Amino acid sequence: MKTSSLWQVFIPLRKGQEEAVQDWLEDFFQTPACAYTAADSDAASVSVYLSEKPAPSTLAELRERLRHLPTLVRHARQGAGDVLVKRLTARDWVKAWQRNIRPIRIGKALLIRPTWDTTPPRPGQQLIVLDPGLSFGTGHHPTTHYCLQELVRLSRRGTATFLDLGTGSGLLAIAAARLGYRRITALDNDPEAVRVARANARANGVGRQIRFFQADVASYTLPRHPAFDVVAANLTDELLVQHAARIAGCAASRGHLVLAGILTERFPAVQKTYADLGLQLLRRRDRGEWTGATFGVP
């Protein structure tokens, strides 16, 4: 049987650059990117895999844009930001791609792994099996990772309720179900994301515990039942500011609002917006160029 070829576009980096460049490269090619970080050095890289060799004009544009990418400009080193192209067989590509997807542990509470990984959960650890795909949210990105950590920290088995604004792959909602949140609602404005999220929830045995539906944060209104104890909004900082009153209104009194997807340089504007609504900043975490924050609702 003939094996088709794929093309790897490979960008060597320094450790700490890969997360921001991964997001940027995904936007450029409109296809998922893989990040790799060496355990024994400061080397890292980001790659995309394409069915056709990129045109010279595309590579020229990519190199030009990379020269001005803030992440690389601020952390420049020799070789960082080079663009390399390599031809791979499909079999080689699958192995390389899967090798870069690592299981994720969120403390002692959660283990998130792809279907091809056999890492066993530790005693008391809840297992989530989720393959990377087009929908955002596998737990590797620092914004999703922060939300997962906060879900674990804020969980009160059998009592807490949860709303996921911009569910993507459904990971946060699935994690909430695994952690014992009792009423879980998740929405996304992308119908394909909602379809994938439902399928992921069913595959993890929690499909009946989560209400998924398509909606936009700009038009979403609370149903008749009470607001939620924990609300996660892993969106862009522009959306978090623009729709702050609507987002904050989803959280119950004395509840918690977990915000992510915020560029660190934009966090002061986000913080001020929610402080003006009477919310108190309780926790903040910066990782690379990204900030996650948890606010308390009076």
Side-chain angles (χ1 to χ4, degrees):
M1 182 176 69
K2 183 179 179 180
T3 303
S4 61
S5 296
L6 294 169
W7 295 89
Q8 178 188 19
V9 179
F10 174 86
I11 302 176
L13 302 166
R14 189 179 68 180
K15 190 178 294 185
Q17 300 174 324
E18 66 275 12
E19 289 157 352
V21 176
Q22 181 180 9
D23 287 343
W24 183 88
L25 196 63
E26 287 182 354
D27 288 340
F28 185 88
F29 282 106
Q30 290 296 293
T31 192
C34 297
Y36 169 79
T37 304
D40 56 354
S41 71
D42 72 342
S45 65
V46 174
S47 299
V48 294
Y49 298 89
L50 308 173
S51 58
E52 296 181 359
K53 185 177 181 179
S57 58
T58 300
L59 294 175
E61 181 183 358
L62 176 62
R63 291 186 174 100
E64 179 62 24
R65 291 193 185 185
L66 280 170
R67 287 174 52 196
H68 302 286
L69 191 64
T71 298
L72 298 182
V73 171
R74 290 200 298 268
H75 305 285
R77 73 171 176 86
Q78 186 174 4
D82 290 347
V83 178
L84 308 176
V85 180
K86 181 180 179 182
R87 187 176 184 176
L88 303 172
T89 67
R91 182 175 298 176
D92 290 339
W93 171 78
V94 170
K95 289 180 179 179
W97 181 66
Q98 290 183 351
R99 192 165 52 245
N100 285 333
I101 306 298
R102 308 290 185 182
I104 300 167
R105 296 187 189 272
I106 307 297
K108 299 178 180 179
L110 295 172
L111 171 66
I112 303 159
R113 74 183 191 200
T115 52
W116 60 81
D117 188 274
T118 58
T119 302
R122 295 168 182 166
Q125 209 168 40
Q126 297 294 320
L127 174 64
I128 298 173
V129 178
L130 188 71
D131 283 344
L134 292 177
S135 295
F136 178 81
T138 61
H140 292 83
H141 194 277
T143 60
T144 311
H145 197 273
Y146 176 79
C147 292
L148 287 166
Q149 288 182 318
E150 287 299 273
L151 270 181
V152 170
R153 188 179 69 84
L154 297 170
S155 63
R156 300 188 300 275
R157 181 165 293 275
T159 61
T161 59
F162 176 64
L163 172 66
D164 185 10
L165 296 173
T167 193
S169 66
L171 174 57
L172 297 183
I174 295 168
R178 285 280 191 242
L179 293 167
Y181 286 75
R182 63 178 171 84
R183 176 166 59 86
I184 305 165
T185 299
L187 62 91
D188 201 289
N189 67 345
D190 182 352
E192 178 63 14
V194 174
R195 185 193 68 78
V196 170
R198 284 190 178 124
N200 286 335
R202 288 194 299 268
N204 281 276
V206 295
R208 295 185 178 182
Q209 296 172 242
I210 306 167
R211 180 177 178 238
F212 290 104
F213 63 98
Q214 182 186 351
D216 194 291
V217 67
S219 58
Y220 174 72
T221 56
L222 279 174
R224 292 182 179 179
H225 54 61
F228 295 84
D229 298 316
V230 179
V231 175
N234 190 2
L235 306 169
T236 65
D237 42 62
E238 291 88 354
L239 286 174
L240 292 175
V241 169
Q242 184 178 358
H243 303 294
R246 187 179 295 274
I247 293 170
C250 295
S253 178
R254 297 186 180 181
H256 293 84
L257 193 61
V258 180
L259 306 182
I262 308 165
L263 289 170
T264 301
E265 63 186 17
R266 290 276 297 152
F267 181 70
V270 175
Q271 181 179 0
K272 181 180 185 305
T273 299
Y274 286 85
D276 289 345
L277 293 172
L279 278 67
Q280 180 184 3
L281 178 63
L282 302 177
R283 185 178 295 259
R284 171 183 176 177
R285 191 188 75 178
D286 299 336
R287 184 177 170 189
E289 293 190 327
W290 300 98
T291 292
T294 301
F295 291 83
V297 181

